Each structure stands twice: as C-alpha cells, then as structure tokens.
Amino acid sequence: MKQSVSAIFICGEKVLFMKRQNYLRAFPGYTSFPGGKVDKEDISEGGDNYLEYALKREIKEELNIDLDDLQASGHIIDIAKYSLAVTPDFNPHRFENYYFKIFIKDEAHLEDIKFEFDQGEIAYTKWFNCHEAFESYKQGQMLVVPPMITILEDLDRDIASLDFLDANLKYDSKKCVPMIEPLFGLRQYMPLSNTFPPANRTNCFVLGDDGHKKIIIDPSPKNSDEYEKLLNSIGEHDISEVFLTHHHPDHHEYSRRLAKELGISFSMSKGTYDHLLEDFDKDYFNEFDVKFYQDGDIVVKSCGVDVKLITTGGHAFGQSSLYRVDGAWMIVSDLIQTVGTVTIGGKGSCMREYFQSLQNVIDIDPQVIMPSHGICLGGTLKIKKTLEHRLEREEQVRKCVSEGKEIEEIFNEIYPDLPERLKSYAMATITSHLEKLRDFGPGIC
C-alpha cells in the first residue's frame, strides 16, 4: 500500500484549506490540504523520519517554503503527527495518509510566509476559521473525502490538540455496506450491484433533512446478503419514499422488497414507470403507491434547500436527475460515469436526447455532480468532455456513412481493438448515432 502525507497549517483559530482544480483526475474539486505521496527517495534518505522528510519535500515542491528554515526563524513553533487515514478497501487505489499539524506562531509571522501555490493543481486557497470550515461543510458547500469530515469536526472541537486522531472510515463490512457523505446531507451508500463492469456498485443515496421527508434513491443490491447489509445500514433513517432514477435493473433490484419491508411508497417519472411495467411486469407496482414527479417538481429538501427533478433522458427514457436549486450539486444518475462509460443504444435510449441532456446540465452548471457509478466530481468538466467525445464519435460515423460504409465496417473502423464481449454495446451506440443522423442531422439539435 502506498503512503502519503498532508500538512494542516494552523494559525490561531484558522486553518489553511485548498480546493483542487476541477480538471484533475484524482478528486477534482475536492477541498483538501497540501501534500502528496511518499517517494522511495524519502524512505532511503529520511530513515526513521521518512514521513517528516516526505512532508518537508512536498511542502517545498508545492508551496515553495522550507519548513526547517521557518522553524529555525521561529515562524513555525511545532510540527506534530496528528492523524492517519487508510483508504477503505472498496477503493482500488489505496493509501495510508498521514496528517501533520504545522503551527504558525501568530498572524504577524504568517504575513512573512510567502506561500506559492501551483495554480495548475489548486483552484484557490483560503484560511478558514475552524468553526466556519465545519459549518461550510454542514451547509453542503464543501466536497471532501471521508477523513476530512472527522478532521473538520476534531479541529472545531480543539484546534490545538496534539492527541492522535483515528480518521479512518468505520463500518462493519460483514453487516453493512460502506457509506460516505462527500457533501453534508448527501449520504452515499455503496452496495455491490449487478451493474456493468468495470463498475461493481450502484450508488444508493439517502436524501432529506432530519425530521423531514427522506427518500432513498436507486436501492439495487446484487443479492439477498447485500440487501440485508443495505437494510442494516439505512436503519437510522425514517425513509418515506423509494425514488428510482430510471428503469435499468441495476437501479431498482430489491427495491420492491425494501419498500415492502419499510412500508413505504415509490416515486419516479412517468416514463420510468412505463418502462418498468413494459420490461418486467404490468403488475410490478400493484402492491405499492406510486407518485410521479415531472420536470421541475420539488422532490425533497437538503440543508433546508429545495431539491428538484431535472429530466436527463438519452441513456434511458424518462431518466431523472436531482438538483439542489442553489447550485450546490446535482445527482445525474447514468448521464455519465466515473467508472467506465455509458451506453446509448437500445430500447429507451436516444442519442439526440442524450446530447440535449448533457448540454442542459452544462448550462445549469452545478458545483458538484454525482453519478450513479463512481465518485462525486467538482464542476461539469466530465459532462463537457463526454459531450465533446460523443460529437466527435458522431462525426466519425457521419464520415463513414458518406463513404458508403455499412454498420459492420463502421464498427471495424471506429472500434478496431474493442474486445468481442463489448461489441454488442458498441454496435448499439453506432445504431443510435445512425438514427440521430438520419432523423435530425449532426450536432446538438
């Protein structure tokens, strides 16, 4: 397992935070602390103190300041190992991350320290009062990894404490599914599901303020054992609705069993409802009350702010996204993924509608987007890149058609190295492009 270090600069009641650029591959748009991974040279040259050696090297590289010089001059009065967080085992990229508190003597000494931040990686930095920082998170305005929540709360409790803090995500993997809360009020449960590889989980969100209406979104564990873990995990919530974003099985398996056991109703778009009856059984919801939401309807509140439905079809007819109306975030279902790619093809899919949905989310411009497979992302860059890619693919298909090529020839030209097991999905996407070009022409229309 790789190791990394992070620096928590403290001056009085203030802490230095940085927000990562939205275009970074790792944790785009997340609020964090400066630092980075431990290199082999750190271990060989730092000896028993290699973590501190790595910390000083990273701070020199990232901020262009020398911690040894600042200690010698009295600007920094202490550097103390403070916390450890190990990436949970459900994440394939794991780190042991060590956090260090670095205490700056006072405001006068802080003014003498010239931090130089890499603007290619850091969108901005801010000195937060530790209480204000925790409150910002609790208003759903700060996107963080799980250890940051524990650290924010502990800093708010006692910023000067030197007690070692265990910031690891804690859950009983034999009884529960993992849950994180990257934005306050957005509880992201991650049961294993029968989804399309390389993804193996479908995010199941619990949304709604305590003491008010709460919904559970797309509960779809892969089997009975995983269902029981999910049921155990959500027991603290008084949930009143199962909300389904669309009709694909990896978004509603076991949802009826859950609704029945909890004695709650369903909600979704009418398009999703019709597809479920068509694909599964006309009696699929006979035992349940079903509420239909339309585009623009208020579904629930989060942090006291309305959350409304936005129709984002294309991948599936009637697919729904949920948008916090102050712009803080949007749950985009399968509009995009951060694990693998989305297929547009087959019954219920429409390439033209998909283009329109992508452009609509870009225009709305939420601060954070949350797909059904993968992690939350800062900004809409992934949406923009997806739209650009689809338009480029459409142009490839259009060119092939103008050259008189048939669909098999188009496939061979566009996907020459695609594994055979993925061919049917690629062919469905090509067909969807062909239908759009035939009926509507190229581009967003």
Side-chain angles (χ1 to χ4, degrees):
M1 187 183 299
K2 296 178 182 179
Q3 293 180 314
S4 56
V5 290
S6 294
I8 305 175
F9 284 92
I10 297 171
C11 185
E13 290 296 313
K14 294 182 178 179
V15 178
L16 178 65
F17 292 91
M18 64 183 199
K19 183 177 179 181
R20 295 169 59 80
Q21 292 282 12
N22 285 341
Y23 53 71
L24 296 175
R25 293 189 64 183
F27 300 110
Y30 282 66
T31 296
S32 62
F33 303 113
K37 67 179 181 178
V38 176
D39 293 336
K40 291 180 180 179
E41 291 76 10
D42 298 323
I43 297 173
S44 61
E45 296 180 22
D48 292 341
N49 297 317
Y50 72 91
L51 290 173
E52 291 86 344
Y53 186 95
L55 179 75
K56 293 174 181 179
R57 176 190 55 75
E58 280 288 337
I59 295 307
K60 179 64 176 176
E61 291 176 0
E62 285 198 10
L63 310 182
N64 196 30
I65 60 174
D66 190 309
L67 292 180
D68 286 331
D69 287 350
L70 291 174
Q71 277 190 293
S73 63
H75 288 76
I76 290 176
I77 56 177
D78 195 12
I79 299 176
K81 189 187 294 184
Y82 163 59
S83 184
L84 167 65
V86 180
T87 309
D89 56 10
F90 56 81
N91 191 316
H93 307 292
R94 304 188 69 197
F95 281 87
E96 289 180 346
N97 191 46
Y98 292 86
Y99 295 86
F100 289 79
K101 283 183 173 180
I102 301 176
F103 293 93
I104 297 171
K105 188 173 183 179
D106 53 36
E107 292 276 354
H109 284 76
L110 175 60
E111 292 177 1
D112 293 335
I113 302 175
K114 307 302 181 184
F115 293 96
E116 297 179 13
F117 294 94
D118 179 2
Q119 294 182 356
E121 184 172 333
I122 309 304
Y124 63 81
T125 62
K126 183 174 181 178
W127 284 92
F128 260 116
N129 173 282
C130 58
H131 178 69
E132 291 175 352
F134 191 39
E135 286 301 309
S136 180
Y137 168 71
K138 290 197 293 184
Q139 289 301 312
Q141 298 289 349
M142 186 183 287
L143 178 62
V144 297
V145 295
M148 282 287 290
I149 304 168
T150 304
I151 289 170
L152 286 168
E153 187 172 14
D154 190 63
L155 292 173
D156 184 36
R157 179 188 62 81
D158 184 359
I159 196 171
S161 173
L162 295 179
D163 294 338
F164 193 78
L165 177 70
D166 179 3
N168 288 300
L169 182 68
K170 298 173 180 64
Y171 74 101
D172 186 343
S173 60
K174 294 181 179 180
K175 296 181 180 179
C176 299
V177 301
M179 189 280 284
I180 60 176
E181 200 167 356
L183 288 163
F184 185 80
L186 191 81
R187 303 164 186 90
Q188 178 184 344
Y189 293 87
M190 294 173 281
L192 292 168
S193 65
N194 292 308
T195 192
F196 187 73
N200 63 353
R201 299 176 187 270
T202 300
N203 293 328
C204 167
F205 299 102
V206 172
L207 194 59
D209 292 336
D210 290 341
H212 299 274
K213 174 186 173 183
K214 284 187 182 181
I215 62 173
I216 185 167
I217 303 168
D218 291 352
S220 51
K222 68 181 295 184
N223 55 35
S224 184
D225 287 344
E226 199 71 5
Y227 168 81
E228 292 296 337
K229 290 182 181 181
L230 178 61
L231 191 63
N232 290 337
S233 301
I234 63 172
E236 63 180 298
H237 303 297
D238 184 16
I239 298 169
S240 59
E241 283 181 15
V242 176
F243 182 90
L244 302 182
T245 62
H246 63 288
H247 68 283
H248 292 156
D250 63 325
H251 290 256
H252 64 88
E253 285 187 278
Y254 286 88
S255 63
R256 292 186 302 164
R257 177 175 169 182
L258 181 71
K260 189 171 184 178
E261 289 199 34
L262 296 182
I264 60 179
S265 60
F266 276 93
S267 61
M268 64 199 75
S269 71
K270 184 63 164 54
T272 293
Y273 176 83
D274 291 342
H275 267 72
L276 282 164
L277 299 193
E278 183 178 346
D279 287 357
F280 294 92
D281 191 306
K282 62 181 179 61
D283 299 327
Y284 199 67
F285 292 112
N286 272 10
E287 298 179 65
F288 307 98
D289 292 329
V290 180
K291 180 176 182 178
F292 299 132
Y293 289 106
Q294 299 181 29
D295 193 80
D297 284 349
I298 303 303
V299 177
V300 73
K301 285 183 180 290
S302 180
C303 298
V305 181
D306 287 342
V307 176
K308 71 178 181 180
L309 185 145
I310 303 290
T311 301
T312 50
H315 171 68
F317 181 73
Q319 178 176 277
S320 302
S321 292
L322 294 176
Y323 171 63
R324 204 173 98 164
V325 299
D326 63 350
W329 50 256
M330 181 185 284
I331 299 172
V332 298
S333 189
D334 278 356
L335 190 66
I336 55 108
Q337 294 180 187
T338 58
V339 181
T341 57
V342 174
T343 299
I344 309 298
K347 189 176 69 173
S349 291
C350 174
M351 192 62 71
R352 181 197 188 208
E353 190 175 353
Y354 187 60
F355 283 9
Q356 293 171 336
S357 293
L358 291 168
Q359 186 61 57
N360 188 29
V361 175
I362 292 168
D363 293 340
I364 293 170
D365 196 26
Q367 295 175 41
V368 175
I369 58 171
M370 293 162 285
S372 289
H373 308 285
I375 68 168
C376 297
L377 303 172
T380 58
L381 183 65
K382 176 71 173 178
I383 305 282
K384 294 174 182 176
K385 291 294 185 182
T386 300
L387 181 55
E388 289 173 8
H389 170 72
R390 292 294 183 180
L391 287 168
E392 289 170 2
R393 185 71 81 210
E394 178 180 80
E395 179 56 24
Q396 288 179 297
V397 173
R398 190 202 62 75
K399 184 173 181 294
C400 288
V401 171
S402 70
E403 295 169 353
K405 292 178 179 176
E406 300 294 332
I407 188 168
E408 191 72 27
E409 296 173 296
I410 297 173
F411 169 80
N412 291 332
E413 178 156 329
I414 295 177
Y415 302 101
D417 302 316
L418 194 70
E420 183 64 27
R421 62 185 175 83
L422 301 178
K423 181 176 179 178
S424 63
Y425 299 98
M427 293 290 277
T429 297
I430 293 171
T431 299
S432 188
H433 275 299
L434 290 170
E435 290 172 349
K436 177 186 174 295
L437 287 167
R438 180 196 66 208
D439 296 337
F440 303 103
I444 305 169
C445 52

